[in-house]
Amino acid sequence: MVKYILRRLVMLIPVLLGVSILTFSLIHLIPGDPAKSMLGEKSTESQLEQLREELGLNDPYIVQYGRFAGSILQGDLGESVKSKEDISIEIMNRLPATMELTVFAMVLAISIGILAGVIAAVKQYSWFDNLSMTGALFGVSLPIFWLGLMMIWFFSVQLNILPASGRISNNIELNSITNFYLLDSIITGNWAAFKDVLSHLIMPGVALGTIPMAIIARMTRSSMLEVMKQDYIRTANAKGLARHLIVFQHALKNAFLPVLTVIGLQFGLLLGGAVLTETIFSWPGIGRYVYLAVMGRDYPVVQSTILIIAVIFVIVNLITDILYKYFDPRISYD
Amino acid sequence: MKEETPILEVKQLHTHFFTKAGVVKAVDGVHFDIKPGETLGIVGESGSGKSITAMSIMRLIPSPPGKIVDGQVLFKGENLLNKSEKQMRKIRGKEISMIFQDPMTSLNPVFTIEKQMVETILVHENLNKQQARNRAVELLELVGIPEARGRLKNYPHEFSGGMRQRVMIAMALACNPEVLIADEPTTALDVTIQAQILELLAKLQKELGMAIIMITHDLGVVSEVCDRVMVMYAGKPVEYTDKKSLFKQPKHPYTLGLMNSIPKISAKKEKLEAIEGLPPDLRALPGGCSFAPRCSQATEICLTTDPVLIEHGNNHHVRCLLYEEETEKVVSE
Ligand SMILES: Nc1ncnc2c1ncn2[C@@H]1O[C@H](COP(=O)(O)OP(=O)(O)O)[C@@H](O)[C@H]1O
Ligand SMILES: [Mg+2]
């Protein structure tokens, strides 16, 4: 097992190399002069030259890439063209917010999606099955921004029961330890903050989690239906096991394998969804950060953020693969 | 023959599947009994309703579309068809156990055999985990798995087919059942392994005394292990007698056909005669005898009159018009 993980980590090196080359190329693939598109049409030639000098855009690509890769390896992502702030620090400040939101959305999606999928499969063609699968079909096709805006309109504007933006209310004190606010409020036993943070998480969490929830529910249902037909389920029945043991142990552990693959993929895609969700709910994470950077043509920020997102994506995939092996004993580690 | 009271009596069992394309009469009047320590064979081609008979006894017919529409399954005198699902769960795996055709797929691939055996023991017996584990080891040793304790943590895929079937048998015997239903337990195995498994079952039966219902499409298996036999065709019993009479004096043309399709060493040169034609569509059974279209001895009347199971000779039941004029005692319908 340890050997397997080590080997997978080694295999990450070429992947990360590829990712870094791609993000590096980004700035040069965009048509036109990068310096000009960052500073705008009205910039003077001397301003442009200064920026080119700053970013080293006059050097040969290979030298530029060497510098880019070298500083990444030292944890230095450069600085923002607009605010001159250190990008590494900015990202580290925002990453916990995004992670908290995506993990929350994913926990929501996985728990509700799997439960709905299992019940729908066990009670195939029942009203629950029909209702939840129709809901799931809508769920996958709902545009996040529409869902987000509708929730804000209904829960914040009409009913005024959920906050429309941010991670925490201004009047709430919270000692940050991990910068995962939900976790911090639990650690410090601060229940007022916990309630407040949770109320901030619900709408963006639902907006972000709906699509993966719908996909997970459908996948779980079809996987469960397949598994319930298997011979070993008949064996479990013939042994006199109770229904819940058969469904939630014997069937679900087998049915979970294809669902796990989907979860891994959706987790990666969630980071894309986070850009929209964070923008709608003014969530102070890297999704909103990259959105603002794109709008402001702050290429170094865009580059670095995409790199980070890609790295997270790769790591999530690695974790999925490792979990897969944990759940399926038939796969050998060699 | 033992003259004890039967442990299990199946009376006029009818299990039908109500599908969109029509009613499939998978089991249509099955009737037999089995005494403690006895082995009853159920023989028939694939699709004749053998497994559905077994699943009906266990009350594991998928419903919908399946339904036991008529009959009785008397286990120690009590009708299982009147039991609640909860009561049935106490019987399944404890008093009546089952093993299946394909040991490759009948064990759950993602659990160790320890988990699969221990859970069975824990549901039915008043033991703690450690005791259940010890019992599992005992059982694995009983069925001839070498180094049983060391293999508890193994997954099914780490065993060969024959070993897996042994694990299945160990699991089925975990709670000393009184009836073991073996649904084609050797069909998926190599010939040499087949013989070993049959031998093992016979040995275990002698030691533990359970009754065995041996489902097979292979008369060779019947000749080796069964005391009595029911031959099934299209959901109905067509011949029902003890093994000796069956092999000495097979009566039903279908049984004769099955016998002619067993390869015999003494008759190497003779052509193997498989029964011509295919089993009928159970949704649209022909009027008259369902075997008539394939029967070499069928006459006009066979196509219109459905025979009943009659006793023809001592305890030899047959469902065929050839024997009906001499009817001695009608046992069915
Ligand atoms: N779920 C089902 N729906 C409809 N027909 C079924 C179903 N299960 C079994 N049958 C029918 O019942 C008949 C008997 O099946 P089975 O008992 O499995 O035969 P076998 O003698 O080979 O064990 C078959 O013709 C099959 O088509
Ligand atoms: Mg069968």
Side-chain angles (χ1 to χ4, degrees):
Chain A
M1 186 77 176
V2 176
K3 240 169 102 190
Y4 170 76
I5 296 174
L6 282 178
R7 208 175 50 237
R8 281 301 308 260
L9 284 173
V10 172
M11 276 161 59
L12 276 187
I13 293 171
V15 174
L16 292 178
L17 199 69
V19 166
S20 72
I21 291 175
L22 271 178
T23 43
F24 168 76
S25 315
L26 195 72
I27 199 164
H28 300 286
L29 286 174
I30 294 165
D33 175 7
K36 194 168 219 160
S37 59
M38 277 185 256
L39 292 182
E41 287 300 326
K42 290 195 193 94
S43 49
T44 64
E45 190 52 43
S46 67
Q47 283 173 312
L48 290 174
E49 193 46 48
Q50 194 194 335
L51 182 65
R52 286 194 197 110
E53 206 52 51
E54 241 176 74
L55 296 178
L57 292 176
N58 294 327
D59 299 334
Y61 287 166
I62 186 79
V63 175
Q64 289 190 41
Y65 176 72
R67 199 166 40 227
F68 176 72
S71 41
I72 291 173
L73 286 179
Q74 292 163 28
D76 175 13
L77 296 174
E79 56 183 35
S80 156
V81 174
K82 294 286 145 68
S83 65
K84 304 292 173 208
E85 286 158 337
D86 185 298
I87 299 174
S88 314
I89 293 176
E90 293 297 306
I91 287 182
M92 286 323 284
N93 284 341
R94 289 172 168 84
L95 204 52
T98 299
M99 293 306 276
E100 180 162 46
L101 176 59
T102 45
V103 169
F104 181 79
M106 220 45 206
V107 167
L108 217 61
I110 292 172
S111 52
I112 297 177
I114 287 185
L115 194 66
V118 168
I119 296 175
V122 171
K123 303 210 179 293
Q124 196 186 3
Y125 305 134
S126 66
W127 66 265
F128 181 88
D129 183 22
N130 291 328
L131 192 73
S132 59
M133 287 308 124
T134 313
L137 198 62
F138 272 106
V140 272
S141 35
L142 274 186
I144 290 184
F145 67 87
W146 184 85
L147 180 64
L149 291 177
M150 283 327 256
M151 282 195 291
I152 292 178
W153 173 78
F154 190 68
F155 293 105
S156 306
V157 180
Q158 297 296 318
L159 301 180
N160 196 20
I161 50 174
L162 289 174
S165 68
R167 286 181 85 186
I168 190 164
S169 304
N170 289 331
N171 57 348
I172 297 282
E173 291 283 334
L174 178 63
N175 293 329
S176 308
I177 301 163
T178 61
N179 266 324
F180 289 83
Y181 287 179
L182 216 47
L183 214 61
D184 288 341
S185 58
I186 293 172
I187 294 171
T188 55
N190 187 345
W191 300 116
F194 181 82
K195 246 184 80 185
D196 184 69
V197 170
L198 193 62
S199 73
H200 279 85
L201 264 171
I202 286 175
M203 283 199 297
V206 170
L208 193 54
T210 297
I211 291 176
M213 184 191 301
I215 293 174
I216 290 169
R218 295 181 70 84
M219 191 70 209
T220 305
R221 177 183 182 270
S222 64
S223 183
M224 278 295 284
L225 284 175
E226 190 52 41
V227 166
M228 290 301 282
K229 279 190 266 179
Q230 299 298 312
D231 289 350
Y232 50 81
I233 297 300
R234 182 184 58 188
T235 305
N237 271 307
K239 294 200 296 189
L241 296 190
R243 184 100 182 129
H244 67 269
L245 279 182
I246 295 175
V247 170
F248 287 100
Q249 277 192 15
H250 281 252
L252 189 54
K253 193 166 177 207
N254 282 280
F256 185 61
L257 290 168
V259 177
L260 182 63
T261 311
V262 168
I263 290 175
L265 281 174
Q266 288 302 316
F267 211 121
L269 294 178
L270 223 56
L271 296 166
V275 176
L276 273 174
T277 312
E278 290 186 3
T279 308
I280 299 164
F281 292 95
S282 310
W283 192 264
I286 58 170
R288 185 159 175 268
Y289 186 52
V290 74
Y291 167 78
L292 294 175
V294 168
M295 297 314 276
R297 296 177 191 278
D298 197 339
Y299 286 168
V301 172
V302 177
Q303 234 175 1
S304 307
T305 322
I306 289 178
L307 183 72
I308 295 294
I309 289 178
V311 169
I312 295 175
F313 190 90
V314 169
I315 292 173
V316 167
N317 270 324
L318 173 66
I319 294 173
T320 314
D321 280 0
I322 293 169
L323 280 179
Y324 204 96
K325 289 183 191 276
Y326 167 77
F327 278 99
D328 191 350
R330 285 162 298 188
I331 295 177
S332 72
Y333 296 115
D334 310 311
Chain B
M1 282 274 92
K2 300 164 189 90
E3 279 312 319
E4 291 163 85
T5 47
I7 176 104
L8 184 75
E9 292 170 82
V10 174
K11 296 186 163 176
Q12 294 305 330
L13 185 69
H14 291 74
T15 304
H16 297 175
F17 289 92
F18 296 87
T19 66
K20 284 204 185 93
V23 180
V24 179
K25 298 181 176 172
V27 172
D28 207 25
V30 164
H31 198 91
F32 66 84
D33 58 42
I34 181 167
K35 299 180 183 75
E38 189 185 35
T39 301
L40 174 92
I42 300 183
V43 200
E45 285 169 301
S46 156
S48 55
K50 306 181 298 291
S51 297
I52 300 300
T53 301
M55 296 310 262
S56 302
I57 296 170
M58 298 292 274
R59 287 267 310 277
L60 287 175
I61 296 295
S63 165
K67 190 164 189 280
I68 301 176
V69 290
D70 197 12
Q72 289 185 320
V73 176
L74 300 178
F75 177 67
K76 297 199 254 189
E78 284 182 54
N79 189 357
L80 296 186
L81 303 187
N82 294 335
K83 300 255 182 221
S84 68
E85 176 59 25
K86 207 172 150 201
Q87 291 170 314
M88 276 314 295
R89 274 208 294 270
K90 292 204 176 114
I91 291 172
R92 291 180 200 131
K94 176 162 173 65
E95 311 211 51
I96 307 179
S97 285
M98 219 174 150
I99 58 176
F100 301 95
Q101 175 168 341
D102 195 347
M104 295 296 180
T105 55
S106 295
L107 289 163
N108 196 322
V110 301
F111 293 125
T112 60
I113 59 157
E114 167 174 344
K115 148 125 187 131
Q116 299 187 55
M117 293 195 65
V118 165
E119 74 181 349
T120 318
I121 298 167
L122 290 181
V123 201
H124 296 299
E125 309 280 356
N126 201 5
L127 297 176
N128 65 33
K129 256 212 167 114
Q130 190 50 50
Q131 291 168 319
R133 207 172 288 136
N134 292 337
R135 171 95 182 113
V137 174
E138 253 173 60
L139 287 157
L140 292 176
E141 280 165 355
L142 184 70
V143 298
I145 291 188
E147 293 171 54
R149 190 169 290 274
R151 305 220 60 180
L152 276 182
K153 294 278 182 223
N154 286 17
Y155 288 92
H157 72 273
E158 297 169 285
F159 291 83
S160 67
M163 283 296 154
R164 270 187 240 191
Q165 196 60 298
R166 284 171 196 260
V167 172
M168 277 299 290
I169 293 171
M171 210 157 74
L173 297 180
C175 307
N176 283 319
E178 295 182 76
V179 178
L180 173 68
I181 305 178
D183 190 352
E184 312 224 17
T186 59
T187 305
L189 303 174
D190 296 343
V191 184
T192 46
I193 313 283
Q194 277 188 18
Q196 289 172 12
I197 295 290
L198 290 179
E199 226 166 83
L200 173 69
L201 282 172
K203 178 195 107 173
L204 291 171
Q205 186 178 34
K206 223 176 249 160
E207 285 171 27
L208 307 172
M210 72 277 188
I212 297 182
I213 299 179
M214 175 66 68
I215 295 177
T216 176
H217 61 261
D218 182 353
L219 277 174
V221 171
V222 171
S223 75
E224 265 173 64
V225 296
C226 296
D227 300 310
R228 285 189 302 137
V229 192
M230 178 179 72
V231 182
M232 272 183 90
Y233 186 78
K236 298 186 176 74
V238 294
E239 189 157 358
Y240 174 45
T241 182
D242 58 90
K243 178 174 74 184
K244 244 196 220 139
S245 325
L246 188 83
F247 283 94
K248 230 165 148 185
Q249 292 182 299
K251 291 181 194 267
H252 199 283
Y254 177 62
T255 316
L256 283 164
L258 285 180
M259 290 197 173
N260 286 335
S261 55
I262 310 178
K264 288 192 198 88
I265 306 164
S266 55
K268 252 183 203 156
K269 288 193 189 104
E270 267 174 57
K271 217 178 80 194
L272 225 61
E273 288 178 58
I275 309 171
E276 267 178 44
L278 290 171
D281 181 351
L282 295 178
R283 285 169 312 200
L285 287 174
C289 171
S290 22
F291 186 60
R294 299 171 70 188
C295 181
S296 55
Q297 304 180 49
T299 55
E300 277 299 282
I301 186 169
C302 297
L303 296 170
T304 50
T305 309
D306 195 11
V308 292
L309 195 68
I310 55 160
E311 186 165 353
H312 184 265
N314 187 25
N315 263 321
H316 197 143
H317 303 275
V318 60
R319 178 193 199 101
C320 177
L321 293 175
L322 287 176
Y323 302 91
E324 241 176 53
E325 310 97 309
E326 320 161 37
T327 303
E328 282 159 31
K329 196 173 106 199
V330 176
V331 294
S332 162
E333 282 166 302

